[in-house]
Amino acid sequence: MDGLSGDDAEVRLDHVSYAVARDSFVSTVQRIGSALGAGFVDGGVHPRFGTRNFILALSGGTYVEVVTTLDHPAADRAPFGQAVARRAAEGGGWLGWVASVEDIASVEARLGRTSTEGHRVRPDGFDLRWKQIGLLELLEDPQLPYFLQWLVPSEERPSADPRTSTTIHGVSIAGDAASIAGFLGEPADHPLDQIDVTWVEDEEPGLVSVEFATAHGPVTI
């Protein structure tokens, strides 16, 4: 697979996503927030995807998302809603990791299709907008990330106002390093500059765990 080029090559971890069923949504938000030393905030509804989330902005320009489906037809139609529903049906857990790029056009060209626009209206009324691509690959191969390009100023993005000094130190992924590196267009030995990536053996491919550096020491979820 061809890598990204030029400015588009700056691929970074944007956020990690944890999917759960509706009946355990609130308790999961509370549990993870307690472990990381800060409370989540209501992110709002994704009307095109049939989902809603709570988010926790971390230091270092990343955030954690806990997401669930709505009782809405879009959750059955949209790839993101399908991915969340499937992970929730499996008992819940890490859905995946999301890589951000400044210009998603090169990823569109590489994958041979256009990205999907997404948005959610925050409780304060701001319409948060972005483009994303790669959910179809995630559905087929959970080890792969999907790509996102924000369409709002940096100060309005979910990671802009950290609620804690906690950072993401590393991620553990079950999968094939070469496949992921090729999909990202980054070297296999260090696909993400700001965090450590550990390749592990597991029965199913995907994001296995995330290690956080907190004020009280490392926490792995």
Side-chain angles (χ1 to χ4, degrees):
M1 237 179 235
D2 293 335
L4 304 177
S5 61
D7 292 338
D8 301 333
E10 297 180 4
V11 179
R12 62 180 302 277
L13 180 68
D14 189 79
H15 66 277
V16 289
S17 184
Y18 196 99
V20 292
R22 289 191 292 273
D23 60 3
S24 57
F25 184 49
V26 173
S27 61
T28 300
V29 168
Q30 293 172 340
R31 174 175 61 83
I32 295 179
S34 177
L36 299 182
F40 281 69
V41 297
D42 187 357
V45 170
H46 309 111
R48 296 183 182 179
F49 307 142
T51 57
R52 66 167 301 190
N53 68 0
F54 269 69
I55 62 168
L56 174 57
L58 307 175
S59 294
T62 61
Y63 68 97
V64 181
E65 167 191 53
V66 178
V67 61
T68 192
T69 57
L70 300 169
D71 185 11
H72 190 280
D76 298 322
R77 296 194 304 264
F80 185 69
Q82 293 173 22
V84 172
R86 184 176 69 181
R87 191 70 182 96
E90 294 169 347
W94 290 113
L95 173 66
W97 50 300
V98 184
S100 67
V101 293
E102 291 301 314
D103 185 356
I104 209 164
S106 61
V107 185
E108 293 175 322
R110 187 152 52 86
L111 298 184
R113 64 178 188 277
T114 57
S115 57
T116 299
E117 290 201 6
H119 82 103
R120 60 178 168 85
V121 178
R122 295 190 315 220
D124 66 0
F126 184 81
D127 191 9
L128 191 67
R129 309 191 72 87
W130 65 90
K131 292 181 179 180
Q132 66 185 50
I133 193 170
L135 264 300
L136 296 177
E137 284 77 11
L138 174 66
L139 281 168
E140 295 177 359
D141 191 354
Q143 68 177 319
L144 298 175
Y146 66 91
F147 295 92
L148 179 149
Q149 177 191 339
W150 289 107
L151 301 178
V152 296
S154 58
E155 63 269 19
E156 297 291 353
R157 298 172 189 176
S159 59
D161 187 19
R163 296 174 56 83
T164 172
S165 62
T166 294
T167 62
I168 295 178
H169 176 72
V171 296
S172 294
I173 300 170
D176 179 68
S179 295
I180 295 175
F183 190 69
L184 281 173
E186 296 290 314
D189 60 347
H190 208 69
L192 294 169
D193 286 341
Q194 76 272 38
I195 66 166
D196 294 329
V197 177
T198 302
W199 309 104
V200 298
E201 296 290 334
D202 199 78
E203 292 182 1
E204 298 292 336
L207 179 61
V208 175
S209 63
V210 180
E211 182 180 335
F212 299 88
T214 78
H216 304 290
V219 171
T220 299
I221 296 175

